[in-house]
């Protein structure tokens, strides 16, 4: 029997022109364009954004701190040299893990790209994804305006703003 879920796409969001792109979560969608639209709805409703990118989840190579201790963890079959985006885990909140873009590295494998990233930064986990599978919005003023400006004026209120509904209030209603 075939699965009923759409493929999963990792979402990469850049808040400002000068901030690093950051892995912020994932969405399920039929194709990259659909994934961008879903990601915009989920991750850019209220916070600011400058750019949004998606890539198929299965295209990501991931290694943890424990894996970094094993020299074989980064030995991945090599192919042609290509560009990889490498992210390092920077924080997590609840079930969400955030990774900041360390850089773009030319390498023959994602493991080699992570090795290059380790020369520049430390981290407890790394993700590498071939740049060729990353799809995103263009950093043109009209694109940024049409994709992200509508969210700027929305009122944002924390959950606590609305208060709690107690059993007594429900009975009185």
């Amino acid at each position: 029997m075939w699965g009923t879920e759409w493929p999963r796409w990792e979402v990469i969001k850049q808040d400002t022109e000068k901030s690093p792109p950051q892995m912020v979560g994932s969405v399920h969608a039929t194709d990259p364009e659909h994934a961008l639209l879903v990601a915009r709805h989920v991750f850019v409703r209220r916070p600011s954004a400058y750019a949004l990118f998606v890539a198929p989840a299965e295209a990501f190579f991931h290694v943890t701190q424990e894996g970094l201790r094993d020299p074989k963890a980064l030995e991945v079959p090599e192919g042609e040299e290509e560009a990889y985006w490498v992210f390092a885990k920077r924080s997590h909140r609840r079930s969400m893990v955030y990774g900041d873009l360390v850089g773009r590295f030319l390498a023959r494998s994602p493991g080699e790209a992570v090795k290059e990233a380790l020369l520049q930064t430390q981290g407890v986990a790394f993700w590498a994804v071939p740049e060729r599978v990353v799809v995103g919005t263009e950093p043109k003023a009209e694109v940024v305006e049409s994709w992200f400006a509508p969210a700027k004026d929305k009122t944002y209120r924390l959950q606590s703003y609305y208060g709690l509904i107690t059993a007594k209030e429900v009975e009185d209603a």
Side-chain angles (χ1 to χ4, degrees), residues 135-147:
V135 176
T137 57
E138 295 180 76
K140 296 178 180 175
E142 63 272 13
V143 173
V144 173
E145 179 67 22
S146 68
W147 266 73

Side-chain angles (χ1 to χ4, degrees), residues 2-16:
W2 296 98
T4 57
E5 280 191 351
W6 289 333
R8 190 166 58 93
W9 298 80
E10 292 298 328
V11 179
I12 302 157
K13 180 178 164 231
Q14 185 174 359
D15 290 333
T16 68

Side-chain angles (χ1 to χ4, degrees), residues 27-28 30 79 100 111:
V27 296
H28 289 271
T30 57
D100 288 348

Side-chain angles (χ1 to χ4, degrees), residues 86-157:
V86 178
F87 297 84
K89 178 182 174 185
R90 295 294 185 227
S91 64
H92 67 270
R93 288 178 224 128
R94 298 186 184 149
S95 64
M96 300 293 295
V97 176
Y98 299 92
D100 288 348
L101 182 67
V102 175
R104 179 183 177 268
F105 300 91
L106 291 176
R108 297 176 65 83
S109 73
E112 187 180 295
V114 170
K115 285 179 188 177
E116 291 294 321
L118 282 167
L119 297 174
Q120 294 184 17
T121 191
Q122 295 181 343
V124 295
F126 288 88
W127 296 266
V129 63
E131 184 176 70
R132 65 181 154 74
V133 300
V134 177
V135 176
T137 57
E138 295 180 76
K140 296 178 180 175
E142 63 272 13
V143 173
V144 173
E145 179 67 22
S146 68
W147 266 73
F148 308 119
K152 287 181 184 174
D153 297 329
K154 288 186 178 180
T155 302
Y156 178 73
R157 294 185 176 111

Side-chain angles (χ1 to χ4, degrees), residues 55-84:
E58 72 271 2
F60 280 80
F61 170 80
H62 178 245
V63 63
T64 62
Q65 190 172 30
E66 292 80 23
L68 291 172
R69 291 187 198 120
D70 177 7
K72 293 182 181 179
L74 297 179
E75 291 178 11
V76 181
E78 293 186 352
E80 295 292 319
E81 186 174 73
E82 64 178 309
Y84 288 88

